[in-house]
Amino acid sequence: MCGIVAYIGNRDAYPILIKGLHRLEYRGYDSAGICLLNEQLTIYKCKGKVSDLEHYVKAKNMAGHLGMAHTRWATHGEPNQVNAHPHYSQNKKLAIIHNGIIENYAPLRSELISRGYSFVSETDTEVLIHLIEDIMTNESVDLVEALRIALNQVIGAYAIVILSKDNPDMILAARKGSPMVIGIGKDEFFIASDATPIVEYTNNVVYMDDEEIAIIQKEKELKIITITNKRKTPYIEKLEISLNALEKEGFDHFMLKEIYEQPRSIRDSMRGRLHLDKGLVILGGIREYEQKLMNARRIIITACGTSWHAGLVGEYLIEELARIPVEVEYSSEFRYRNPVLSEEDVVIAISQSGETADTLAAIELAKSKGATVLGICNVVGSSIARATHAGVYTHAGPEIGVASTKAFTAQVAVLTLLALQIAQKKGTIPQSRFHQMLSELNVIPEKVEQTLAINEQIKKIANIYKDVKNSLYLGRGYNFPVALEGALKLKEISYIHAEGYPAAEMKHGPIALIDEYMPVVVIATRKGTYEKVISNIQEVKARKGKIIAIINTGDKTVQGLADHCIEIPETEEFLNPLLATIPLQLLSYHIAVMRNCNVDQPRNLAKSVTVE
Ligand code: F6R
């Protein structure tokens, strides 16, 4: 969602800010704006893309060593130039950019209107900057104190940056529930909503905590206070993102690059954790909680979207291998339904971004009820990684395409390791079988590599079905979450309606949709309920539906039934999702490209959903 970037130092701010906004484009947005402080606070903003903003300011004077910029994903007020950030205070001496939502903006706005303030935009953000001005004027306090007082009055989530005409060597930043990172260079600072705009300038960063205010002054030490006015010592961490990870590196789209990265990202997710020689799995991040997990009365997995699908695979894995009951909950439902939770429950929150508002809220709820909460996150230092008691990083590397691909398989790889680790400790799998399982998991990256070789064949299938209006995805057992994930990928990037179903459920309703125009993607790998899935294929064929089947290499039975077969290598049933997902990602990708859709930034979607 919204993106923030700001700079203070000796370089020209504009190129840093624009490049930073481009780096943040993947988060999803609908307008962009910039503010430079050069004697005056000058704001330029427009609806549309960062490139539109660049075009708009082309002939303007963009000089200045201090500035901030923003990409807005509309919440309060439509996406237009007026509602785009930055916003001025009434006296134009302050300007603000803001991610998040001020929930009590309506009463604050009425109060400010009654005190003579007028609003140009419909945003909740403008309320905050007028409030700060009002406090400075009426309480005769400086800007930092006014900001602190204002933040004690607002309810909601925010990551904000404020510039002040009267404080030309200072940037203020604050956060609550919305991420903010400060990069520390030599006599300069970079501020951003995630590390991607910072990484090419410095590896030293401070992740702000909730209810902190950073006072960032040129050539001075970073100062952090809380909104209750306590001084905090900034904790400097090292960034481990490589710049290459933020570039397309010859691929047409980030999504395609990320699909192709999966042999590496799955391997990285297992590195140092799967010890084939010793017959061991060790997830260092949750070592302290191993006993807790083994003795858990129940494991509850909470997540959204693709991460929720990974959670479903986790349910099958943990129940089958470690014999612990698992429930998988949408975070958005879990947080509002007063769930029964106790200290014997372990909650696992899964999130690529580590910033999903609903998942964060689910974590806080679970903690408040005494449950142990573990995280599986991709973004190091993210809010969810910090809000959980302990956790495991997926190490997939930055995922820039809005549609999640490599993060999903990395999450599944980590969940597989987790299930195996608990199983080994609990003794639910004989050691010899355990060894076989580890060996097969160890060769999965190579099998993913082999699976990627089907790309050209998938392109041809995509060309046949690119214009359909509806599609159905079916799978059973471990392949059921894969079907859900395949359907989600297709709808989010190609805007074709797609439904994922457990194959046997088809006859309870969706079968009514089947006719000669309906493509049905069936994951029909051998093992498990293979024979049953073949019956489901026959049911579709009897109604003239078109079958695209994901099969194991050389499966003549399904080849005799399906309209198209995509062959993937055979593996253990519990590892199937790591392979079967790949052709579905590629199918969605090619269909979306053929339909001229914006693959990396699909309409209306945001990469990290920081509002509920
Ligand atoms: C789908 C997708 C979304 C996310 C969901 C959760 O491709 O990207 O469905 O999976 O918004 O996001 P995270 O994993 O960041 O919590």
Side-chain angles (χ1 to χ4, degrees):
M1 284 186 159
C2 307
I4 280 177
V5 57
Y7 174 77
I8 180 168
N10 295 317
R11 311 187 203 205
D12 278 340
Y14 175 70
I16 295 170
L17 298 178
I18 281 294
K19 197 163 193 190
L21 286 188
H22 279 300
R23 292 261 189 247
L24 292 169
E25 281 191 294
Y26 79 99
R27 294 168 73 95
Y29 69 103
D30 37 52
S31 54
I34 195 161
C35 175
L36 290 167
L37 177 51
N38 194 0
E39 288 173 18
Q40 296 298 320
L41 280 175
T42 318
I43 291 179
Y44 298 106
K45 50 191 187 177
C46 65
K47 187 181 166 185
K49 293 286 171 195
V50 175
S51 51
D52 296 320
L53 178 67
E54 278 180 281
H55 192 254
Y56 179 57
V57 301
K58 213 165 193 163
K60 313 267 196 283
N61 173 12
M62 300 307 282
H65 302 296
L66 192 161
M68 63 184 180
H70 190 259
T71 46
R72 172 175 185 254
W73 191 88
T75 56
H76 293 66
E78 65 173 277
N80 59 26
Q81 185 182 31
V82 175
N83 289 330
H85 299 204
H87 292 284
Y88 283 121
S89 60
Q90 183 130 307
N91 60 14
K92 291 212 157 70
K93 287 186 170 188
L94 304 174
I96 187 170
I97 53 178
H98 166 218
N99 292 355
I101 289 182
I102 307 297
E103 286 168 15
N104 59 339
Y105 88 103
L108 289 172
R109 184 179 164 112
S110 307
E111 171 71 20
L112 287 161
I113 289 173
S114 72
R115 295 157 80 93
Y117 286 85
S118 53
F119 287 81
V120 293
S121 78
E122 299 159 81
T123 64
D124 50 338
T125 305
E126 207 186 349
V127 171
L128 187 51
I129 199 68
H130 286 350
L131 178 64
I132 295 165
E133 178 187 324
D134 189 58
I135 294 169
M136 282 178 83
T137 315
N138 291 319
E139 301 190 20
S140 301
V141 290
D142 68 10
L143 175 60
V144 176
E145 183 60 4
L147 172 62
R148 200 184 67 74
I149 296 170
L151 293 181
N152 278 287
Q153 292 180 23
V154 301
I155 300 169
Y158 53 78
I160 53 172
V161 175
I162 293 176
L163 301 189
S164 157
K165 180 173 177 293
D166 295 338
N167 296 274
D169 286 324
M170 181 175 83
I171 291 183
L172 294 183
R175 82 154 260 175
K176 183 181 176 192
S178 217
M180 188 76 95
V181 192
I182 302 170
I184 302 175
K186 190 170 173 333
D187 299 333
E188 60 185 353
F189 294 94
F190 307 83
I191 301 104
S193 40
D194 67 46
T196 54
I198 296 177
V199 64
E200 61 197 277
Y201 307 107
T202 175
N203 286 326
N204 295 325
V205 292
V206 172
Y207 292 97
M208 289 184 72
D209 270 326
D210 275 352
E211 304 199 330
E212 283 183 354
I213 297 170
I215 300 141
I216 305 156
Q217 288 165 291
K218 205 168 127 184
E219 294 170 19
K220 288 204 180 155
E221 288 218 332
L222 173 65
K223 184 176 169 191
I224 293 185
I225 58 167
T226 66
I227 64 167
T228 51
N229 215 2
K230 293 202 182 77
R231 187 81 188 251
K232 296 277 288 284
T233 310
Y235 174 62
I236 301 175
E237 297 182 47
K238 285 267 176 245
L239 275 182
E240 280 174 18
I241 305 173
S242 84
L243 207 49
N244 287 352
L246 307 178
E247 309 286 353
K248 288 193 199 135
E249 293 187 299
F251 285 90
D252 288 343
H253 297 95
F254 280 108
M255 182 178 174
L256 190 61
K257 177 191 169 207
E258 286 158 7
I259 291 173
Y260 271 87
E261 272 177 350
Q262 289 175 106
R264 198 249 337 125
S265 54
I266 295 174
R267 172 71 68 212
D268 285 353
S269 302
M270 303 196 297
R271 195 184 306 283
R273 296 168 171 173
L274 191 164
H275 301 273
L276 197 56
D277 47 342
K278 300 189 194 123
L280 269 180
V281 171
I282 305 170
L283 292 170
I286 52 164
R287 212 179 212 151
E288 273 180 58
Y289 289 87
E290 209 171 57
Q291 283 298 325
K292 190 93 205 176
L293 270 167
M294 275 171 62
N295 301 327
R297 186 184 63 152
R298 199 170 51 140
I299 291 177
I300 296 152
I301 299 180
T302 185
C304 304
T306 288
S307 298
W308 185 83
H309 296 155
L312 275 187
V313 179
E315 177 181 19
Y316 283 82
L317 286 164
I318 297 169
E319 291 212 341
E320 186 190 346
L321 306 182
R323 311 306 298 156
I324 299 174
V326 179
E327 284 165 32
V328 187
E329 298 263 4
Y330 286 113
S331 303
S332 52
E333 288 299 310
F334 186 67
R335 62 182 289 192
Y336 284 119
R337 68 170 189 78
N338 195 12
V340 179
L341 274 172
S342 76
E343 287 176 14
E344 289 136 57
D345 294 320
V346 174
V347 172
I348 301 177
I350 308 177
S351 175
Q352 186 287 127
S353 63
E355 301 298 343
T356 303
D358 284 323
T359 305
L360 261 172
I363 290 167
E364 293 310 331
L365 176 84
K367 286 202 299 193
S368 74
K369 291 184 181 272
T372 298
V373 187
L374 306 178
I376 297 179
C377 288
N378 193 38
V379 177
V380 176
S382 57
S383 302
I384 291 177
R386 278 133 38 95
T388 43
H389 292 116
V392 184
Y393 282 118
T394 42
H395 297 313
E399 193 179 62
I400 308 292
V402 164
S404 192
T405 52
K406 64 174 179 172
F408 174 78
T409 45
Q411 289 164 346
V412 171
V414 166
L415 285 160
T416 309
L417 291 172
L418 180 73
L420 285 168
Q421 182 176 346
I422 312 172
Q424 186 175 40
K425 293 282 167 202
K426 284 188 71 175
T428 47
I429 304 173
Q431 191 59 28
S432 56
R433 173 77 187 117
F434 188 78
H435 227 282
Q436 269 175 356
M437 291 170 139
L438 285 198
S439 304
E440 185 59 18
L441 179 56
N442 192 46
V443 296
I444 279 291
E446 281 110 84
K447 292 197 173 179
V448 172
E449 191 90 58
Q450 290 162 26
T451 307
L452 287 165
I454 48 168
N455 186 39
E456 285 306 313
Q457 187 203 350
I458 292 186
K459 225 176 192 169
K460 289 187 188 130
I461 299 174
N463 196 36
I464 300 171
Y465 293 101
K466 65 180 188 306
D467 296 319
V468 297
K469 300 260 179 297
N470 298 291
S471 58
L472 205 56
Y473 283 67
L474 303 178
R476 290 188 78 165
Y478 285 98
N479 288 333
F480 161 51
V482 175
L484 293 180
E485 176 57 10
L488 178 65
K489 278 304 78 96
L490 186 69
K491 68 185 131 193
E492 65 186 341
I493 61 167
S494 73
Y495 319 137
I496 294 174
H497 174 229
E499 297 249 15
Y501 257 89
E505 274 292 304
M506 182 183 62
K507 59 187 171 295
H508 298 288
I511 198 163
L513 295 167
I514 303 221
D515 61 15
E516 68 266 40
Y517 305 110
M518 177 67 113
V520 182
V521 179
V522 185
I523 304 123
T525 45
R526 290 195 197 102
K527 306 207 175 97
T529 48
Y530 173 68
E531 303 292 341
K532 311 272 177 205
V533 173
I534 290 183
S535 307
N536 299 133
I537 292 177
Q538 268 154 344
E539 287 160 9
V540 174
K541 284 314 296 171
R543 286 155 187 88
K544 298 195 168 58
K546 297 279 183 289
I547 295 282
I548 303 165
I550 312 298
I551 59 168
N552 286 133
T553 313
D555 179 345
K556 297 277 176 273
T557 312
V558 182
Q559 278 175 357
L561 292 169
D563 298 271
H564 313 275
C565 283
I566 299 166
E567 293 185 315
I568 63 171
E570 192 140 0
T571 185
E572 294 266 3
E573 192 189 358
F574 75 101
L575 297 174
N576 251 331
L578 290 168
L579 303 184
T581 307
I582 313 288
L584 306 189
Q585 295 170 342
L586 286 168
L587 185 64
S588 308
Y589 170 78
H590 289 301
I591 289 179
V593 170
M594 288 169 190
R595 289 165 70 93
N596 286 324
C597 296
N598 186 342
V599 174
D600 283 336
Q601 290 162 40
R603 69 182 180 207
N604 305 335
L605 292 180
K607 185 68 185 161
S608 65
V609 183
T610 49
V611 297
E612 58 169 297

PDB file of all heavy atoms in Angstrom, residues 271-290:
ATOM      1  N   ARG A 271      18.273 -23.851   3.760  1.00  0.00           N
ATOM      2  CA  ARG A 271      19.712 -23.813   4.048  1.00  0.00           C
ATOM      3  C   ARG A 271      19.984 -23.681   5.548  1.00  0.00           C
ATOM      4  O   ARG A 271      19.380 -22.862   6.238  1.00  0.00           O
ATOM      5  CB  ARG A 271      20.347 -22.630   3.328  1.00  0.00           C
ATOM      6  CG  ARG A 271      21.861 -22.687   3.253  1.00  0.00           C
ATOM      7  CD  ARG A 271      22.423 -21.421   2.614  1.00  0.00           C
ATOM      8  NE  ARG A 271      21.831 -21.119   1.311  1.00  0.00           N
ATOM      9  CZ  ARG A 271      22.145 -21.741   0.188  1.00  0.00           C
ATOM     10  NH1 ARG A 271      23.043 -22.688   0.199  1.00  0.00           N
ATOM     11  NH2 ARG A 271      21.556 -21.415  -0.941  1.00  0.00           N
ATOM     12  N   GLY A 272      20.873 -24.522   6.043  1.00  0.00           N
ATOM     13  CA  GLY A 272      21.235 -24.463   7.462  1.00  0.00           C
ATOM     14  C   GLY A 272      20.149 -25.013   8.376  1.00  0.00           C
ATOM     15  O   GLY A 272      20.267 -24.966   9.602  1.00  0.00           O
ATOM     16  N   ARG A 273      19.084 -25.511   7.778  1.00  0.00           N
ATOM     17  CA  ARG A 273      17.965 -26.030   8.582  1.00  0.00           C
ATOM     18  C   ARG A 273      17.760 -27.522   8.338  1.00  0.00           C
ATOM     19  O   ARG A 273      17.437 -28.265   9.245  1.00  0.00           O
ATOM     20  CB  ARG A 273      16.687 -25.268   8.223  1.00  0.00           C
ATOM     21  CG  ARG A 273      16.795 -23.794   8.579  1.00  0.00           C
ATOM     22  CD  ARG A 273      15.687 -22.967   7.980  1.00  0.00           C
ATOM     23  NE  ARG A 273      15.720 -21.612   8.525  1.00  0.00           N
ATOM     24  CZ  ARG A 273      14.957 -20.625   8.096  1.00  0.00           C
ATOM     25  NH1 ARG A 273      14.100 -20.811   7.119  1.00  0.00           N
ATOM     26  NH2 ARG A 273      15.033 -19.438   8.651  1.00  0.00           N
ATOM     27  N   LEU A 274      17.950 -27.917   7.088  1.00  0.00           N
ATOM     28  CA  LEU A 274      17.816 -29.339   6.744  1.00  0.00           C
ATOM     29  C   LEU A 274      19.216 -29.954   6.751  1.00  0.00           C
ATOM     30  O   LEU A 274      20.056 -29.590   5.923  1.00  0.00           O
ATOM     31  CB  LEU A 274      17.173 -29.446   5.359  1.00  0.00           C
ATOM     32  CG  LEU A 274      16.687 -30.807   4.883  1.00  0.00           C
ATOM     33  CD1 LEU A 274      15.769 -30.651   3.707  1.00  0.00           C
ATOM     34  CD2 LEU A 274      17.800 -31.749   4.522  1.00  0.00           C
ATOM     35  N   HIS A 275      19.474 -30.838   7.703  1.00  0.00           N
ATOM     36  CA  HIS A 275      20.806 -31.458   7.813  1.00  0.00           C
ATOM     37  C   HIS A 275      20.678 -32.918   7.424  1.00  0.00           C
ATOM     38  O   HIS A 275      20.432 -33.786   8.270  1.00  0.00           O
ATOM     39  CB  HIS A 275      21.332 -31.320   9.237  1.00  0.00           C
ATOM     40  CG  HIS A 275      21.432 -29.892   9.686  1.00  0.00           C
ATOM     41  ND1 HIS A 275      22.541 -29.116   9.455  1.00  0.00           N
ATOM     42  CD2 HIS A 275      20.533 -29.087  10.297  1.00  0.00           C
ATOM     43  CE1 HIS A 275      22.333 -27.894   9.935  1.00  0.00           C
ATOM     44  NE2 HIS A 275      21.119 -27.853  10.456  1.00  0.00           N
ATOM     45  N   LEU A 276      20.848 -33.158   6.119  1.00  0.00           N
ATOM     46  CA  LEU A 276      20.650 -34.510   5.603  1.00  0.00           C
ATOM     47  C   LEU A 276      21.644 -35.485   6.227  1.00  0.00           C
ATOM     48  O   LEU A 276      21.281 -36.599   6.623  1.00  0.00           O
ATOM     49  CB  LEU A 276      20.825 -34.476   4.086  1.00  0.00           C
ATOM     50  CG  LEU A 276      20.273 -35.659   3.322  1.00  0.00           C
ATOM     51  CD1 LEU A 276      18.799 -35.859   3.606  1.00  0.00           C
ATOM     52  CD2 LEU A 276      20.481 -35.467   1.827  1.00  0.00           C
ATOM     53  N   ASP A 277      22.903 -35.043   6.326  1.00  0.00           N
ATOM     54  CA  ASP A 277      23.944 -35.923   6.861  1.00  0.00           C
ATOM     55  C   ASP A 277      23.621 -36.393   8.286  1.00  0.00           C
ATOM     56  O   ASP A 277      23.820 -37.542   8.638  1.00  0.00           O
ATOM     57  CB  ASP A 277      25.314 -35.213   6.811  1.00  0.00           C
ATOM     58  CG  ASP A 277      25.237 -33.786   7.348  1.00  0.00           C
ATOM     59  OD1 ASP A 277      24.105 -33.237   7.424  1.00  0.00           O
ATOM     60  OD2 ASP A 277      26.288 -33.220   7.711  1.00  0.00           O
ATOM     61  N   LYS A 278      23.063 -35.498   9.078  1.00  0.00           N
ATOM     62  CA  LYS A 278      22.767 -35.867  10.469  1.00  0.00           C
ATOM     63  C   LYS A 278      21.336 -36.376  10.633  1.00  0.00           C
ATOM     64  O   LYS A 278      20.927 -36.738  11.736  1.00  0.00           O
ATOM     65  CB  LYS A 278      22.943 -34.635  11.377  1.00  0.00           C
ATOM     66  CG  LYS A 278      24.332 -34.050  11.363  1.00  0.00           C
ATOM     67  CD  LYS A 278      24.436 -32.982  12.450  1.00  0.00           C
ATOM     68  CE  LYS A 278      25.678 -32.143  12.246  1.00  0.00           C
ATOM     69  NZ  LYS A 278      25.452 -30.725  12.107  1.00  0.00           N
ATOM     70  N   GLY A 279      20.564 -36.329   9.550  1.00  0.00           N
ATOM     71  CA  GLY A 279      19.161 -36.752   9.644  1.00  0.00           C
ATOM     72  C   GLY A 279      18.364 -35.854  10.570  1.00  0.00           C
ATOM     73  O   GLY A 279      17.556 -36.327  11.375  1.00  0.00           O
ATOM     74  N   LEU A 280      18.586 -34.548  10.458  1.00  0.00           N
ATOM     75  CA  LEU A 280      17.993 -33.603  11.409  1.00  0.00           C
ATOM     76  C   LEU A 280      17.377 -32.403  10.709  1.00  0.00           C
ATOM     77  O   LEU A 280      17.842 -31.987   9.648  1.00  0.00           O
ATOM     78  CB  LEU A 280      19.099 -33.022  12.294  1.00  0.00           C
ATOM     79  CG  LEU A 280      19.473 -33.688  13.603  1.00  0.00           C
ATOM     80  CD1 LEU A 280      20.585 -32.882  14.241  1.00  0.00           C
ATOM     81  CD2 LEU A 280      18.265 -33.773  14.536  1.00  0.00           C
ATOM     82  N   VAL A 281      16.342 -31.859  11.350  1.00  0.00           N
ATOM     83  CA  VAL A 281      15.846 -30.550  10.932  1.00  0.00           C
ATOM     84  C   VAL A 281      15.963 -29.631  12.139  1.00  0.00           C
ATOM     85  O   VAL A 281      15.530 -29.982  13.236  1.00  0.00           O
ATOM     86  CB  VAL A 281      14.361 -30.630  10.501  1.00  0.00           C
ATOM     87  CG1 VAL A 281      13.795 -29.235  10.272  1.00  0.00           C
ATOM     88  CG2 VAL A 281      14.208 -31.459   9.240  1.00  0.00           C
ATOM     89  N   ILE A 282      16.586 -28.491  11.944  1.00  0.00           N
ATOM     90  CA  ILE A 282      16.721 -27.537  13.059  1.00  0.00           C
ATOM     91  C   ILE A 282      16.279 -26.152  12.585  1.00  0.00           C
ATOM     92  O   ILE A 282      16.919 -25.541  11.727  1.00  0.00           O
ATOM     93  CB  ILE A 282      18.178 -27.444  13.574  1.00  0.00           C
ATOM     94  CG1 ILE A 282      18.691 -28.834  13.952  1.00  0.00           C
ATOM     95  CG2 ILE A 282      18.265 -26.498  14.771  1.00  0.00           C
ATOM     96  CD1 ILE A 282      20.182 -28.873  14.234  1.00  0.00           C
ATOM     97  N   LEU A 283      15.182 -25.674  13.142  1.00  0.00           N
ATOM     98  CA  LEU A 283      14.753 -24.302  12.867  1.00  0.00           C
ATOM     99  C   LEU A 283      15.189 -23.464  14.057  1.00  0.00           C
ATOM    100  O   LEU A 283      14.515 -23.427  15.096  1.00  0.00           O
ATOM    101  CB  LEU A 283      13.235 -24.260  12.667  1.00  0.00           C
ATOM    102  CG  LEU A 283      12.724 -24.953  11.401  1.00  0.00           C
ATOM    103  CD1 LEU A 283      11.206 -25.069  11.409  1.00  0.00           C
ATOM    104  CD2 LEU A 283      13.176 -24.229  10.144  1.00  0.00           C
ATOM    105  N   GLY A 284      16.348 -22.835  13.898  1.00  0.00           N
ATOM    106  CA  GLY A 284      16.972 -22.122  15.015  1.00  0.00           C
ATOM    107  C   GLY A 284      16.069 -21.073  15.649  1.00  0.00           C
ATOM    108  O   GLY A 284      16.029 -20.922  16.865  1.00  0.00           O
ATOM    109  N   GLY A 285      15.299 -20.370  14.815  1.00  0.00           N
ATOM    110  CA  GLY A 285      14.486 -19.256  15.295  1.00  0.00           C
ATOM    111  C   GLY A 285      13.433 -19.655  16.325  1.00  0.00           C
ATOM    112  O   GLY A 285      12.961 -18.819  17.096  1.00  0.00           O
ATOM    113  N   ILE A 286      13.033 -20.935  16.306  1.00  0.00           N
ATOM    114  CA  ILE A 286      11.963 -21.328  17.241  1.00  0.00           C
ATOM    115  C   ILE A 286      12.454 -22.408  18.216  1.00  0.00           C
ATOM    116  O   ILE A 286      11.658 -23.101  18.845  1.00  0.00           O
ATOM    117  CB  ILE A 286      10.712 -21.836  16.495  1.00  0.00           C
ATOM    118  CG1 ILE A 286      11.080 -22.935  15.498  1.00  0.00           C
ATOM    119  CG2 ILE A 286      10.006 -20.685  15.791  1.00  0.00           C
ATOM    120  CD1 ILE A 286       9.873 -23.719  15.043  1.00  0.00           C
ATOM    121  N   ARG A 287      13.773 -22.521  18.326  1.00  0.00           N
ATOM    122  CA  ARG A 287      14.349 -23.564  19.170  1.00  0.00           C
ATOM    123  C   ARG A 287      13.767 -23.530  20.594  1.00  0.00           C
ATOM    124  O   ARG A 287      13.381 -24.561  21.145  1.00  0.00           O
ATOM    125  CB  ARG A 287      15.858 -23.351  19.239  1.00  0.00           C
ATOM    126  CG  ARG A 287      16.582 -24.667  19.363  1.00  0.00           C
ATOM    127  CD  ARG A 287      18.059 -24.443  19.404  1.00  0.00           C
ATOM    128  NE  ARG A 287      18.725 -25.572  18.785  1.00  0.00           N
ATOM    129  CZ  ARG A 287      19.872 -25.485  18.176  1.00  0.00           C
ATOM    130  NH1 ARG A 287      20.470 -24.322  18.078  1.00  0.00           N
ATOM    131  NH2 ARG A 287      20.441 -26.548  17.671  1.00  0.00           N
ATOM    132  N   GLU A 288      13.686 -22.336  21.131  1.00  0.00           N
ATOM    133  CA  GLU A 288      13.189 -22.187  22.512  1.00  0.00           C
ATOM    134  C   GLU A 288      11.745 -22.652  22.663  1.00  0.00           C
ATOM    135  O   GLU A 288      11.290 -22.883  23.765  1.00  0.00           O
ATOM    136  CB  GLU A 288      13.209 -20.699  22.889  1.00  0.00           C
ATOM    137  CG  GLU A 288      14.505 -20.221  23.441  1.00  0.00           C
ATOM    138  CD  GLU A 288      14.374 -18.736  23.769  1.00  0.00           C
ATOM    139  OE1 GLU A 288      13.494 -18.363  24.553  1.00  0.00           O
ATOM    140  OE2 GLU A 288      15.151 -17.969  23.171  1.00  0.00           O
ATOM    141  N   TYR A 289      11.038 -22.703  21.546  1.00  0.00           N
ATOM    142  CA  TYR A 289       9.605 -23.026  21.614  1.00  0.00           C
ATOM    143  C   TYR A 289       9.318 -24.457  21.139  1.00  0.00           C
ATOM    144  O   TYR A 289       8.166 -24.814  20.939  1.00  0.00           O
ATOM    145  CB  TYR A 289       8.804 -22.009  20.792  1.00  0.00           C
ATOM    146  CG  TYR A 289       8.801 -20.663  21.468  1.00  0.00           C
ATOM    147  CD1 TYR A 289       9.826 -19.758  21.234  1.00  0.00           C
ATOM    148  CD2 TYR A 289       7.813 -20.319  22.381  1.00  0.00           C
ATOM    149  CE1 TYR A 289       9.859 -18.531  21.882  1.00  0.00           C
ATOM    150  CE2 TYR A 289       7.837 -19.102  23.032  1.00  0.00           C
ATOM    151  CZ  TYR A 289       8.860 -18.213  22.776  1.00  0.00           C
ATOM    152  OH  TYR A 289       8.884 -17.003  23.431  1.00  0.00           O
ATOM    153  N   GLU A 290      10.368 -25.251  20.986  1.00  0.00           N
ATOM    154  CA  GLU A 290      10.209 -26.605  20.469  1.00  0.00           C
ATOM    155  C   GLU A 290       9.291 -27.445  21.370  1.00  0.00           C
ATOM    156  O   GLU A 290       8.368 -28.109  20.898  1.00  0.00           O
ATOM    157  CB  GLU A 290      11.595 -27.248  20.390  1.00  0.00           C
ATOM    158  CG  GLU A 290      11.722 -28.277  19.310  1.00  0.00           C
ATOM    159  CD  GLU A 290      13.177 -28.683  19.158  1.00  0.00           C
ATOM    160  OE1 GLU A 290      13.780 -29.138  20.174  1.00  0.00           O
ATOM    161  OE2 GLU A 290      13.690 -28.539  18.063  1.00  0.00           O
TER     162      GLU A 290
END
